């Protein structure tokens, strides 16, 4: 491609080397392919940004990696070296500098321009800028980037620096590449390579803006303070030495500062009186303000972004119960309702702003106010953080270290420092950024996972978490709290996963114990816990083709990465639900049990408020079709878990909990208005007709952002027949945003639930945009769910897990184009807990 350059004082010019910019790229393997693997052409067309897997898939040379057992069949890709090549036209004007910018290279790459080595790189998590004046020529230029086989490279580096403990069959901790690209207990092993972000040549003269860090905060009087740090770079020519003027503006305020080439760094402080602050969702508006940074010389450079004026503290104070962990925004405590976030597609170059926004809206619409970007993934794109800014979702950002010991020596040390400095500089502008976290479970691993013997005295990462990373955050983003890890107890000589202190990960429930064990925990803040369930039926069967379909089929187990995962799913049913014979009932029962398990834990944790200040489930999203802990599967279908989260993450929650002085109802009012209400308390029969066995009115008053516990009257709390009765609590005023609460004296396996044929009737009618399905209960019907994807994989339903008492009614709104109203009322689509028990 050709660009037009200009005179010395003209604007910088960009030669876009991406496919969208007109550059043509070719991809070819550069090592021998294994026996039985053949490519039809020596080289194929490639798309940049992109990755090897997507290029091969686009060319029809490989099957879908997610389908069947193709994961294993395509493992050779990660054992092969690859080369990207492009020829472009360059017209060299009078600019003094020509820099090659690579925003993301995955991972071990050697860059050659016109046959000469420009540089070698080895970090997926950072960008690179190289002065290539001496390599460029007028006219046609050849750019070649050779990538090492990622699995081979990781093994070599592990041997070079000394193997260290980790949780995978590949030594992902030996290289700076996305850990879960090598597989995880929910992730496909799809280690690949590629130019995964933009690439271009920037031609410029004089001075340029190298980086901007606009740190926005609030004074105690509500004045916004914007402290903007700007780093400039001069081109190195004698004519460029001197002074540049820099202007910074926001919300009608402007400052101009002079910067000398000997210094290169400028700081501007602007004060904005009575500025509209930024709040997390549920606490106020998400006010965002444009910031503009410009060099005064015409056309020499500018930068723009948005900031939100706010203060965010993370309080970890000793108290009578241990050590708190509490987010405080603009002086107000924020109870956290969150989830962990993983890369939204295992083939990360397919992720778009639209797909990110859809997934983050899944979080927002479930009631979440925080996402934790987990350390085994990647620093997300600007789109991710922009959407979080806009939707009021706080971001807990891990540095990229997970479940492993890491070398603190070269070659990793300098790469870690470079990537961390770049990440903090880039992300510090975002209003949503609430916490920097050093690592995921590595400090816990050192204490409890028997690392000391295999390490034999070698470094394991502690220097990163306790020295290097906090120093970088303290220098570049001092307004944001740094935590050494999660879980972490915030004190010397404490076990890092002590629930009494700081953050806690709870995994014995999934791995070993019944989910009722959540009730034994009193965590100050639960930052990881969860329970597995399969994806939607249409998602699962789009990639699993076992005949017959069964939990332990070959392809099913390819899509179950957890150790003994399906065995744990069956064990997890416990006394809650019967074991199921058919695959359809297994699918529904394990999805339901997942939802109930997580909801049980969250209701218990919320009932401990203010001792407990938040929960962050594992996990919101999936990166491919898999049995996992996700609330939303990789096809964007909200699992029953998502709907359970929407209930337990409501701002106002009523939950029935056991207490020493009797069965009690806890009301958590996480709004700015007091909750004053009349509640109808009932003890009802489970059978047809739902006889009222006891009834009482209760007046409640719960202050704003508070919780109150009410002991239930004996006539409500004490059953005559535990197997045939239940508790129902509802607000007389349905407009208070308080969903009904249910209490049971027996598990479903012992509960006298009516046959759904007698207990539930349904009708459906076409409406604009889809179908309305109305269900009516004639007895207690638990957890009514509609699965329209069984009819049309593109169909979606607005609600799920609806429990109705006798006489109750609910309408599901189903959207889609190929919908049969009668089919939506069929037994395969309309499910409830009753049919699992009665079936």
């Amino acid at each position: 491609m050709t660009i037009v350059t200009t005179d010395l004082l003209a604007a910088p010019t960009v030669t876009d080397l991406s496919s969208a910019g007109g550059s043509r790229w070719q991809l070819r393997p550069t090592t021998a392919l294994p026996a039985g693997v053949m490519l039809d052409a020596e080289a194929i067309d490639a798309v940049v940004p992109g990755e090897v897997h997507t290029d091969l898939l686009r060319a029809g040379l490989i099957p879908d990696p997610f389908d069947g057992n193709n994961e294993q069949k395509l493992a050779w890709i990660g054992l092969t070296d690859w080369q990207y090549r492009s020829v472009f036209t360059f017209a060299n004007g009078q600019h003094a500098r020509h820099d090659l910018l690579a925003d993301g290279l995955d991972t071990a790459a050697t860059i050659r321009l016109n046959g000469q080595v420009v540089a070698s790189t080895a970090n997926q998590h950072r960008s690179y800028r190289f002065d290539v004046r001496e390599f460029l020529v007028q006219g046609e230029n050849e750019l070649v980037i050779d990538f090492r086989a990622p699995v081979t490279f990781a093994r070599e580096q592990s041997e070079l620096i000394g193997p260290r403990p980790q949780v995978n069959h590949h030594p992902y901790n030996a290289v700076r590449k996305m850990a879960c690209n090598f597989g995880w207990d929910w992730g496909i092993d799809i280690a690949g390579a590629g130019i995964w972000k933009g690439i271009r040549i920037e031609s410029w003269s004089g001075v340029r803006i190298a980086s901007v860090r606009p740190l926005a905060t609030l004074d105690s009087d509500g004045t916004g303070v914007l402290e903007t740090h700007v780093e400039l770079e001069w081109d190195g020519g004698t004519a460029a030495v001197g002074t540049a003027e820099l202007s910074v503006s926001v919300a009608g305020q402007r400052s101009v500062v002079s910067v000398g080439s000997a210094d290169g760094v400028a700081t501007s402080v602007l004060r904005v009186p009575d500025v509209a602050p930024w709040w997390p969702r549920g606490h106020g508006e998400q006010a965002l303000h444009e910031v503009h940074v410009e060099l005064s010389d015409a056309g020499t450079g500018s930068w723009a972004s948005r900031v939100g004026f706010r203060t965010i503290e993370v309080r970890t104070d000793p108290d009578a119960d241990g050590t708190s962990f509490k987010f405080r925004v603009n002086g107000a405590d924020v109870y956290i309702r969150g989830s962990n976030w993983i890369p939204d597609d295992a083939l990360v170059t397919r992720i778009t702003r639209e797909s990110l926004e859809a997934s983050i809206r899944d979080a927002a619409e479930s009631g979440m106010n925080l996402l934790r970007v987990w350390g085994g993934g990647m620093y997300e794109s600007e789109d991710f953080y922009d959407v979080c800014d806009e939707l009021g979702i706080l971001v807990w950002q891990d540095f990229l270290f997970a479940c492993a010991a890491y070398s603190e020596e070269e070659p990793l040390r300098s790469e870690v420092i470079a990537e961390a400095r770049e990440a903090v500089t880039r992300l510090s502008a975002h209003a949503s950024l609430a916490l920097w976290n050093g690592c995921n479970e590595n400090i816990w691993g050192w204490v409890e996972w028997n690392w000391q013997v295999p390490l034999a005295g070698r470094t394991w990462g502690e220097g990163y978490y306790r020295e290097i990373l906090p120093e970088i955050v303290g220098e570049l983003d001092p307004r944001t709290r740094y935590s050494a890890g999660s879980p972490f107890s915030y004190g010397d000589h404490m076990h890092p996963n002590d629930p009494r202190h700081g953050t806690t990960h709870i995994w014995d429930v999934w791995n070993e114990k019944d989910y009722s064990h959540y009730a034994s925990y009193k965590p100050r803040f639960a930052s990881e816990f969860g329970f597995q369930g399969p994806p939607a039926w249409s998602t699962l069967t789009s990639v699993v083709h076992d005949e017959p379909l069964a939990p332990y089929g070959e392809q099913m187990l390819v899509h179950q990465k957890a150790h003994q995962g399906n065995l744990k799913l069956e064990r997890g049913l416990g006394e809650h639900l019967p074991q199921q014979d058919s695959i359809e009932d297994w699918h529904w029962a394990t999805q339901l049990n997942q939802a109930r398990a997580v909801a049980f834990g969250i209701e218990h944790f919320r009932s401990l408020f203010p001792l407990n200040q938040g929960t962050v489930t594992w996990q919101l999203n999936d990166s491919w079709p898999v049995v996992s802990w996700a609330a939303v599967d990789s096809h964007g279908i909200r699992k029953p878990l998502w709907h359970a989260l929407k209930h337990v993450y409501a701002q106002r929650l009523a939950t029935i909990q056991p207490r020493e002085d009797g069965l009690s109802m806890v009301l958590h009012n996480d709004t700015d208005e007091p909750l004053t209400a009349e509640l109808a308390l009932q003890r009802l029969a489970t059978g047809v007709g739902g006889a009222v066995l006891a009834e009482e009115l209760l007046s409640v008053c719960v202050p704003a952002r508070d919780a109150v516990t009410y002991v239930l009257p004996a006539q409500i709390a004490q059953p005559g027949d535990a197997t045939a009765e239940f508790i129902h609590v509802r607000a007389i005023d349905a407009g208070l945003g308080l969903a009904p609460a249910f209490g049971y004296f027996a598990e479903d396996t012992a509960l006298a639930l009516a046959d759904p044929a007698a207990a539930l009737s349904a009708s459906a009618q076409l409406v604009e945009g889809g179908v309305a399905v109305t269900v009516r209960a004639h007895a207690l019907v638990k957890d009514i769910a509609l699965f329209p994807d069984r009819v049309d994989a593109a169909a979606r339903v607005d609600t799920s897990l609806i429990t109705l008492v006798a006489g109750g009614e609910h309408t599901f709104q189903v959207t889609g184009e190929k919908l049969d109203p009668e089919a939506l009322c069929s037994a395969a689509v309309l499910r409830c807990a009753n049919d699992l028990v009665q079936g």
Side-chain angles (χ1 to χ4, degrees):
M1 61 176 294
T2 303
I3 63 165
V4 178
T5 57
T6 56
D7 294 333
L8 182 64
L9 296 180
T13 56
V14 175
T15 305
D16 186 354
L17 300 179
S18 73
S19 299
S23 292
R24 184 188 175 195
W25 287 86
Q26 288 198 314
L27 171 70
R28 69 182 184 94
T30 55
T31 50
L33 300 179
V37 174
M38 296 181 61
L39 299 180
D40 292 339
E42 181 179 348
I44 63 170
D45 290 337
V47 172
V48 171
E51 50 199 311
V52 170
H53 283 84
T54 54
D55 288 327
L56 294 174
L57 191 60
R58 188 181 301 107
L61 297 175
I62 61 171
D64 182 353
F66 295 174
D67 191 60
N69 58 5
N70 290 338
E71 174 187 14
Q72 182 178 1
K73 295 176 182 177
L74 299 178
W76 61 270
I77 295 173
L79 297 168
T80 302
D81 293 351
W82 297 92
Q83 182 183 93
Y84 284 81
R85 177 182 179 273
S86 180
V87 175
F88 64 95
T89 302
F90 183 78
N92 188 359
Q94 298 300 311
H95 280 297
R97 280 276 295 273
H98 305 287
D99 294 345
L100 175 66
L101 273 70
D103 293 332
L105 300 174
D106 180 13
T107 288
T110 298
I111 304 169
R112 292 181 173 84
L113 186 55
N114 296 323
Q116 301 181 72
V117 175
V118 174
S120 293
T121 71
N123 193 333
Q124 181 186 8
H125 304 309
R126 59 171 291 200
S127 65
Y128 295 90
R129 176 184 286 265
F130 303 111
D131 182 351
V132 292
R133 284 174 290 181
E134 63 180 285
F135 305 109
L136 281 168
V137 298
Q138 293 276 3
E140 190 173 274
N141 290 260
E142 180 191 54
L143 178 61
V144 173
I145 303 180
D146 286 296
F147 289 95
R148 289 296 317 281
V151 173
T152 306
F153 179 67
R155 291 171 179 170
E156 291 172 355
Q157 292 300 298
S158 178
E159 290 302 315
L160 179 66
I161 65 179
R164 284 164 166 80
Q166 40 83 22
V167 295
N168 204 312
H169 54 289
H170 299 308
Y172 65 86
N173 53 330
V175 294
R176 297 311 296 157
K177 177 177 170 63
M178 187 169 72
C180 64
N181 202 208
F182 292 98
W184 213 258
D185 58 3
W186 40 260
I188 183 174
D189 182 353
I190 198 169
I195 307 170
W196 76 291
K197 291 186 177 181
I199 188 167
R200 61 199 177 278
I201 292 173
E202 287 187 2
S203 301
W204 58 283
S205 297
V207 61
R208 72 175 187 90
I209 296 173
S211 69
V212 180
R213 286 182 292 115
L215 307 181
T217 58
L218 283 172
D219 270 357
S220 57
D221 63 357
T223 297
V225 180
L226 181 67
E227 184 178 295
T228 305
H229 303 266
V230 184
E231 180 184 1
L232 301 181
E233 181 184 9
W234 272 259
D235 66 17
T238 56
V241 176
T243 300
E245 283 197 342
L246 193 74
S247 71
V248 180
S249 59
V250 66
Q253 306 295 315
R254 182 173 180 267
S255 70
V256 178
V257 294
S258 295
V259 189
S261 57
D263 182 15
V265 178
T267 299
S268 161
V269 178
L270 287 171
R271 299 180 66 82
V272 186
D274 301 318
V275 70
W278 183 93
W279 289 95
R281 61 185 299 105
H283 286 259
E285 298 299 316
Q286 289 76 53
L288 297 170
H289 307 266
E290 293 282 344
V291 177
H292 294 275
V293 178
E294 295 185 355
L295 285 164
S296 57
D297 292 338
T300 55
S302 63
W303 181 94
S305 187
R306 297 177 301 177
V307 299
F309 290 96
R310 84 292 185 275
T311 61
I312 300 180
E313 304 171 77
V314 181
R315 303 304 302 263
T316 53
D317 303 315
D319 57 29
D321 297 299
T323 308
S324 69
F325 187 87
K326 180 188 302 184
F327 285 84
R328 183 170 292 167
V329 181
N330 303 334
D333 291 342
V334 176
Y335 185 83
I336 296 301
R337 303 184 299 274
S339 194
N340 282 267
W341 172 273
I342 65 171
D344 215 26
D345 192 324
L347 296 173
V348 295
T349 59
R350 301 195 300 197
I351 299 171
T352 65
R353 181 184 173 93
E354 291 72 26
S355 65
L356 284 172
E357 184 166 2
S359 293
I360 299 170
R361 286 195 179 278
D362 285 332
E365 291 174 12
S366 74
M368 293 179 188
N369 57 15
L370 179 143
L371 289 174
R372 175 189 173 209
V373 180
W374 169 73
M378 61 184 179
Y379 302 110
E380 293 287 337
S381 68
E382 287 300 300
D383 291 331
F384 175 89
Y385 303 96
D386 284 344
V387 174
C388 288
D389 291 344
E390 294 162 8
L391 296 182
I393 301 292
L394 295 167
V395 174
W396 164 331
Q397 177 67 57
D398 278 14
F399 287 100
L400 302 184
F401 303 91
C403 303
Y406 290 82
S407 165
E408 297 172 35
E409 290 76 40
E410 297 297 345
L412 287 186
R413 185 183 186 89
S414 59
E415 288 295 341
V416 166
I417 292 171
E419 79 178 54
R421 293 187 68 87
E422 180 175 327
V424 176
T425 297
R426 177 170 71 92
L427 302 185
S428 60
H430 289 280
S432 55
L433 181 65
L435 179 70
W436 289 103
N437 183 59
C439 66
N440 175 74
E441 299 190 344
N442 297 352
I443 298 172
W444 184 17
W446 165 257
V447 171
E448 203 170 87
W449 296 355
N450 301 315
W451 285 3
Q452 288 86 347
V453 171
L455 279 171
R458 293 193 297 272
T459 55
W460 57 275
E462 185 177 27
Y464 295 143
Y465 317 137
R466 297 188 185 271
E467 297 176 11
I468 290 175
L469 296 176
E471 288 173 2
I472 290 172
V473 172
E475 174 195 350
L476 300 178
D477 190 14
R479 65 177 190 157
T480 303
R481 177 67 185 266
Y482 172 83
S483 170
S486 181
F488 196 64
S489 290
Y490 302 95
D492 293 334
H493 314 299
M494 294 180 182
H495 190 286
N497 199 32
D498 186 337
R500 298 170 298 175
H501 303 282
T503 57
T504 303
H505 292 193
I506 303 173
W507 284 116
D508 58 352
V509 167
W510 162 249
N511 285 310
E512 303 167 7
K513 299 181 179 180
D514 185 84
Y515 71 67
S516 61
H517 184 63
Y518 281 131
S520 69
Y521 281 92
K522 294 183 177 180
R524 305 306 300 269
F525 191 100
S527 53
E528 259 193 42
F529 65 103
F531 211 86
Q532 269 201 354
W537 183 265
S538 62
T539 303
L540 184 67
T541 56
S542 72
V543 295
V544 175
H545 315 291
D546 297 318
E547 292 291 347
L549 194 64
Y552 297 95
E554 178 187 4
Q555 293 185 19
M556 180 75 83
L557 293 180
V558 170
H559 294 83
Q560 166 58 279
K561 296 300 183 182
H563 176 63
Q564 296 184 339
N566 284 356
L567 183 64
K568 292 175 182 177
L569 284 177
E570 293 176 6
R571 175 191 56 77
L573 295 176
E575 296 181 356
H576 309 293
L577 291 168
Q579 296 292 327
Q580 304 299 322
D581 295 327
S582 74
I583 187 64
E584 291 83 2
D585 286 347
W586 174 88
H587 182 267
W588 163 224
T590 52
Q591 278 203 331
L592 176 59
N593 206 51
Q594 176 190 32
R596 287 183 173 183
V598 177
F600 178 92
I602 292 174
E603 288 198 37
H604 166 65
F605 299 149
R606 284 189 70 172
S607 79
L608 302 176
F609 179 89
L611 178 76
N612 173 268
Q613 286 290 329
T615 58
V616 183
T617 67
W618 188 272
Q619 67 219 56
L620 173 67
N621 57 328
D622 263 336
S623 61
W624 73 307
V626 64
V627 182
S628 82
W629 296 265
V632 184
D633 74 23
S634 63
H635 289 191
I637 298 179
R638 294 169 172 178
K639 293 160 65 172
L641 171 58
W642 183 91
H643 295 277
L645 288 173
K646 187 174 183 180
H647 171 70
V648 296
Y649 273 170
Q651 288 187 277
R652 287 176 167 169
L653 175 70
T655 177
I656 296 173
Q657 297 287 328
R659 292 293 185 263
E660 289 184 1
D661 47 0
L663 200 61
S664 299
M665 179 180 60
V666 182
L667 294 173
H668 186 195
N669 175 29
D670 193 21
T671 74
D672 287 327
E673 299 296 329
L675 172 61
T676 301
E678 289 286 319
L679 302 183
L681 313 180
Q682 294 179 315
R683 180 162 53 86
L684 303 173
T686 61
V688 174
V692 178
L693 306 174
E695 189 168 21
E696 190 167 318
L697 287 178
L698 176 66
S699 296
V700 299
C701 185
V702 186
R705 309 292 178 185
D706 205 350
V708 176
T709 300
Y710 296 88
V711 178
L712 293 175
Q715 64 173 357
I716 301 296
Q718 296 177 6
D721 181 353
T723 66
E725 300 173 18
F726 68 100
I727 297 172
H728 180 230
V729 178
R730 65 177 177 86
I732 301 298
D733 181 355
L736 293 175
L738 185 67
F742 293 85
Y744 302 98
F745 306 106
E747 296 287 352
D748 282 9
T749 49
L751 198 59
L753 291 174
D755 190 311
L760 189 67
S761 57
S763 61
Q765 61 179 354
L766 291 169
V767 295
E768 185 177 355
V771 175
V773 179
T774 299
V775 293
R776 299 172 184 85
H778 314 295
L780 172 66
V781 184
K782 296 184 67 175
D783 296 311
I784 307 167
L786 201 67
F787 296 101
D789 69 290
R790 296 292 299 263
V791 177
D792 173 12
R796 300 292 184 267
V797 65
D798 64 333
T799 50
S800 189
L801 300 187
I802 303 299
T803 295
L804 295 178
V805 301
E809 181 176 294
H810 179 79
T811 298
F812 297 93
Q813 300 294 335
V814 182
T815 55
E817 296 181 357
K818 297 180 290 185
L819 296 175
D820 176 0
E822 184 176 346
L824 292 175
C825 297
S826 68
V829 176
L830 181 60
R831 302 300 306 257
C832 60
N834 298 47
D835 62 40
L836 292 173
V837 174
Q838 293 295 326

